Amino acid sequence: NAGVMQNPRHLVRRRGQEARLRCSPMKGHSHVYWYRQLPEEGLKFMVYLQKENIIDESGMPKERFSAEFPKEGPSILRIQQVVRGDSAAYFCASSPPLYTGELFFGEGSRLTVL
Amino acid sequence: GESVGLHLPTLSVQEGDNSIINCAYSNSASDYFIWYKQESGKGPQFIIDIRSNMDKRQGQRVTVLLNKTVKHLSLQIAATQPGDSAVYFCAERWSGANSKLTFGKGITLSVRP
């Protein structure tokens, strides 16, 4: 049973480039959550998606950030024109439908902006 | 607004002692609480959870206590081991099924041999 798979695990970008982070949820899970973690800080909620639908994007920055979870394929968190402040670990979590328990987290994607 | 916070940023304990990690929350509508452990370079791992209709839940070497009167959550680890060294986060959920978890800042547990 594969867990939540994130790739790439490490990504280096120069300022102004684009970063794309991918997340494949656990088998049977149709709900995906993205969190950002700055060094020495907690996890900040960014966005919650179901297949082809954004449910809650209250934690997403207004500009440069977008997320999708298409009918087929992984969920993608896209950051355009990256700045140094975007350097962080981005974690994806998933859960099955109608579930009130824990979120299952991946190992994260660590973005470094030079 | 909702917030989840931890009282102490770091905790150092002797191997074999019991550890207690505390957490305060402010949203009285929260009905689900959870503790995660995060080791360096890894994702959060589930430790134990509790729903608001309970005040105590036990796992293997871990116990979670919930005091809704003062909005306080604690994690107790018995016979702390070096492998318990990590950052611990509490989190809460207040909107029912499939809604997001809101995390606190985290506390580092350091176990002295």
Side-chain angles (χ1 to χ4, degrees):
Chain A
N1 274 336
V4 177
M5 303 301 292
Q6 292 189 246
N7 70 84
R9 292 293 312 279
H10 300 275
L11 183 63
V12 179
R13 284 288 179 266
R14 297 191 179 279
R15 281 178 296 171
Q17 292 184 319
E18 179 180 287
R20 285 194 180 215
L21 310 177
R22 295 174 201 80
C23 170
S24 295
M26 288 181 69
K27 187 176 181 180
H29 291 194
S30 56
H31 298 251
V32 165
Y33 311 76
W34 285 94
Y35 284 80
R36 176 165 61 177
Q37 186 176 35
L38 296 172
E40 306 299 319
E41 293 195 10
L43 291 95
K44 301 296 185 186
F45 169 77
M46 299 182 75
V47 62
Y48 159 37
L49 310 103
Q50 295 178 28
K51 288 279 187 181
E52 300 183 285
N53 217 3
I54 296 175
I55 306 302
D56 181 354
E57 56 181 348
S58 59
M60 286 282 269
K62 299 294 181 209
E63 298 176 346
R64 302 188 298 107
F65 285 72
S66 62
E68 62 177 4
F69 190 16
K71 186 176 180 181
E72 301 291 337
S75 175
I76 295 175
L77 179 67
R78 182 184 180 202
I79 312 172
Q80 295 177 289
Q81 299 174 335
V82 296
V83 301
R84 289 214 174 112
D86 297 332
S87 295
Y90 293 84
F91 289 95
C92 172
S94 72
S95 67
L98 301 175
Y99 187 68
T100 60
E102 77 268 28
L103 300 184
F104 298 82
F105 280 86
E107 294 294 282
S109 292
R110 282 150 185 84
L111 173 65
T112 301
V113 180
L114 301 177
Chain B
E2 58 187 47
S3 68
V4 178
L6 296 171
H7 294 309
L8 297 172
T10 60
L11 177 64
S12 180
V13 298
Q14 189 71 38
E15 181 179 358
D17 287 352
N18 296 334
S19 302
I20 300 176
I21 303 172
N22 295 306
C23 177
Y25 66 94
S26 63
N27 193 336
S28 57
S30 293
D31 61 2
Y32 176 79
F33 304 88
I34 187 169
W35 284 97
Y36 281 94
K37 171 186 180 183
Q38 186 179 28
E39 297 175 341
S40 181
K42 295 191 174 183
Q45 295 173 275
F46 169 82
I47 301 174
I48 192 167
D49 59 3
I50 188 168
R51 301 193 185 275
S52 59
N53 60 350
M54 302 172 68
D55 53 21
K56 180 179 180 179
R57 191 164 186 227
Q58 287 185 290
Q60 189 176 15
R61 282 201 308 120
V62 293
T63 301
V64 55
L65 299 176
L66 175 63
N67 186 330
K68 292 182 289 293
T69 302
V70 294
K71 297 178 189 169
H72 185 266
L73 189 70
S74 70
L75 176 69
Q76 300 178 0
I77 305 174
T80 312
Q81 302 169 359
D84 295 325
S85 294
V87 179
Y88 289 80
F89 295 96
C90 67
E92 62 179 331
R93 171 185 290 138
W94 62 276
S95 297
N98 293 115
S99 54
K100 66 190 180 194
L101 291 174
T102 299
F103 282 79
K105 286 189 176 181
I107 182 167
T108 300
L109 177 64
S110 177
V111 182
R112 303 188 302 272

